[in-house]
Amino acid sequence: MRQIRMFRFTALCALPQALSFFALAGAGAAICTRSAAAEQVAQFSTGGKVFVEQSPAGDWGIRVESPGMASVTVAQPMQLESYESETKIGSVAGGYKSIRKTDTGFLGEGNLVPVKGVVVHFSDQWSVSGSVLRLARKLAVSGSAPGGFFSAVTVSTARDVRFADVDLFAPGMIYGGPAYLLDQAPGGWPNYAAGRFEMREDGFPIPVLGVHFRDGSSIALLDCHPRGDTTTADSNDSDGLTMIDERFLFGGLGAHERAGGGIDVGFWLPGALGLQRSANRTARSARRLRFHPFRDGLSQQYEIALRVGRDESFHDYYATLWRWGWETLKPAVNYYDMTVVRTSLVHQLAGSVMTHNGRTGIPFALNAVTGGPSRLLRDNDAIMGFVGKNLEGAALLLADADLHPGAASEKNRQLAVAIMDTFTRQVKVSPPDSEGFNIDTGRPSITNPTGVFSGQVHLRAFTDDVRWMLKAYQREKSRGREHPEWLRWSMEFADWLVQQQRPDGSFPRSWRLGTGEALQTSSTSTYNAMAFLVAQFQAENRTGHQRFLDAAERAGDFCWLTYQAHDQYVGGTMDNPNIVDKEAGTLSLEGYLALYEATKNKKWLRHARSAADYAETWIYAWDVSMPVDADEATLHWKKGVSTIGVNKINSTGSGVDQWMAGDVDKYARLSVYTGDQHYLEVARILLHNTKNMVALPGRLYDLAGPGWQQEHWGMTTQRGMGSASRAWLPWATVNHLEGILALEDFDPALFRKVAAK
């Protein structure tokens, strides 16, 4: 049975009756400096040493002595927080009463009495391998009482360390500090300024939390065997209710500045949280305290690993830390027959194409359950780029028709050509007057997918999709099919775009419709231009096209030197401007790969690796279980379906999607260019596991038919775990097809290798 792991920032909960485990850890650190006895019990490969130390009171704690700033103490390894009522919450912690050497390390044992009539016995096996200290904990409860508890383990740094002195890493949430994070994000400024970061582990793509010190040393905690088991009541809790249930098997990870100095890093179970700002800015902040019951015979066990590092840059640190977590969790691949998957997706996409009065396009939104209208804004608008992806969808229908000729291929090819031709007629590009058009009326589409930023056109919308028109143009031309209007249209846009590039190499984020006036002047999303400009350079070998490659390189240098050398990948999604997100990483990866392939300059390959390392930290490498008591009929992510491979959407919320299904070929190409097989492992997960909630023949779930998938899901509390919008947007199919067809086009043999079981 998964056991209780505890840790809570009591100060966040504004409960003066409760002690703080972080405060207890700090006090324990002081006790260890006055040890009555100490003995070295292990040594790290990095040169650090592990000691057990006896306090004057006679109990035992642990001290890790490491080169640099990464020395820590676990002065009171046994920690519990007890809950009897909202006004009676207590904390108790202590050192082991006995220490015994074992074949693999040492065993610490002791008891805590959290409430009258209840004794909790700790049996903690510690071992060292390489640079990692592991704790395998077993807890046993004797006696019963009202209320509940959670348990924790906390490691404490030296007193002279604060958040401002370190870089924090929590995958998909914080990469150094609070820059480009919204206030309501777990790592946002209000929490960071208060010296706290905490999150349930079901919000972590890999449950690992790290602290990187300025001297290149580091520490990190990892849950080696995460479980996300929970209940519907917990999943739907938006009011911050306190709950006690032994079915809660999710943990929590956090870091906190001690009042007297130093940082405590801890892991606890269940994953109780202190005050968390709601993603809905008008809603009040809420506690979400979770406990296991004081029940006689309740047993708990879990394994936590502490990694101690040295001599690493922050980027190398978190990339290595992520791979350590990946190798520890060993994410399992769910293999699919890619012929069945591809055929289903192509049929679904082609079947969604609409034609009216000579205008052809893919509607912006449909209902994934019925296949009919979704009742979202701009249902029948055909949109470029981001989530609309009309031209990319058309290009992929053309690619599939060439790679897999058959009875339906010619019809699909005609639909694709009609989409391309319609856009070149309907949308002006110098300056752009819209991001698409309404299929029914022909009117320009002037509002972005969320209804905000009306009257703007975004850099990403055009560079995303016009690049795919250029790919389609080259494919068609190589087969003797000429489309001069496609090239003319893309060239007209490219010529306009290079005039918008600023002296430092950057581009604005958006412009006013039809005027070319920059509206969102932020330069954080300049990376969007790189791959498009390279594609325009490569479209035809003509004198004068070098200007496009030069502009792409200037944009690449700007992005790297200004932001990404500092691990700031910002502003990928059009509806969440200038926050840390995964699409900033994947779009940068595509841009740097395009520059490397065009120039063979290895600096672009190095930058591509950095972007890939960052982007993959948004991929779930473990299976988060759906609520055990949920009604399968109303649950969007179905029970028993692995969540390995879903991607966290941004650094603020708990939503996940399958966006990175479209990045299979990027990681595969990177593996070929670098010889790094890990990137091929990532490509395999993205090819197969992202299909886990795609409706396929014989497994339709509750969707409209084969090839359908809803747009996103919740993955932790506040949104309803496993539930979200039932809308289908074109990207949900297009990205899957891109991952399949782009890799097959790049290297058929490599595609077969990645696809094969």
Side-chain angles (χ1 to χ4, degrees), residues 323 471 534 538 588-610 612 663-680 683 742-743 745-747 750 753:
R323 291 197 184 195
K471 288 188 176 186
V534 171
Q538 294 172 327
S588 297
L589 169 59
E590 178 62 41
Y592 289 133
L593 280 176
L595 281 168
Y596 172 70
E597 290 165 341
T599 67
K600 303 306 178 187
N601 186 330
K602 289 191 176 180
K603 79 173 180 181
W604 303 124
L605 186 59
R606 292 192 297 270
H607 298 349
R609 290 195 69 151
S610 292
D663 299 309
V664 175
D665 73 299
K666 302 175 187 63
Y667 280 92
R669 286 151 60 198
L670 190 60
S671 179
V672 170
Y673 300 147
T674 63
D676 190 332
Q677 290 300 300
H678 171 75
Y679 294 128
L680 205 61
L743 180 55
D745 210 22
F746 172 71
D747 186 335
L750 182 60
K753 177 180 178 181

Side-chain angles (χ1 to χ4, degrees), residues 97-119:
K97 295 305 178 185
S98 68
I99 291 283
R100 178 168 57 86
K101 287 186 177 180
T102 66
D103 291 341
T104 57
F106 61 96
L107 179 69
E109 292 189 294
N111 296 329
L112 292 178
V113 180
V115 296
K116 184 178 180 180
V118 174
V119 176

Side-chain angles (χ1 to χ4, degrees), residues 229-241:
D229 300 42
T230 188
T231 65
T232 300
D234 166 64
S235 174
N236 294 334
D237 177 27
S238 60
D239 297 320
L241 302 176

Side-chain angles (χ1 to χ4, degrees), residues 29-94:
I31 290 173
C32 277
T33 63
R34 303 189 300 272
S35 61
E39 179 181 353
Q40 181 179 337
V41 291
Q43 183 162 334
F44 293 118
S45 60
T46 51
K49 300 175 182 179
V50 180
F51 297 85
V52 292
E53 295 191 323
Q54 189 176 33
S55 74
D59 55 5
W60 293 85
I62 299 164
R63 175 166 55 88
V64 175
E65 197 174 89
S66 182
M69 300 176 69
S71 296
V72 295
T73 59
V74 189
Q76 295 177 306
M78 303 186 303
Q79 298 179 322
L80 294 175
E81 180 155 320
S82 61
Y83 174 89
E84 296 179 76
S85 70
E86 290 296 316
T87 58
K88 196 171 184 181
I89 299 177
S91 301
V92 60

Side-chain angles (χ1 to χ4, degrees), residues 606-682:
R606 292 192 297 270
H607 298 349
R609 290 195 69 151
S610 292
D613 292 342
Y614 164 83
E616 71 169 282
T617 65
W618 298 73
I619 304 169
Y620 272 71
W622 65 291
D623 186 13
V624 181
S625 302
M626 293 298 107
V628 295
D629 57 348
D631 180 356
E632 183 79 358
T634 61
L635 194 61
H636 299 177
W637 190 283
K638 302 304 183 182
K639 292 181 183 179
V641 179
S642 173
T643 62
I644 292 173
V646 300
N647 330 140
K648 197 175 178 74
I649 294 174
N650 62 47
S651 50
T652 301
S654 63
V656 299
D657 60 24
Q658 303 287 25
W659 185 273
M660 291 180 71
D663 299 309
V664 175
D665 73 299
K666 302 175 187 63
Y667 280 92
R669 286 151 60 198
L670 190 60
S671 179
V672 170
Y673 300 147
T674 63
D676 190 332
Q677 290 300 300
H678 171 75
Y679 294 128
L680 205 61
E681 292 179 22
V682 175

Side-chain angles (χ1 to χ4, degrees), residues 203-216:
F204 285 78
I206 286 178
V208 64
L209 176 62
V211 177
H212 181 263
F213 301 98
R214 293 291 186 252
D215 65 353

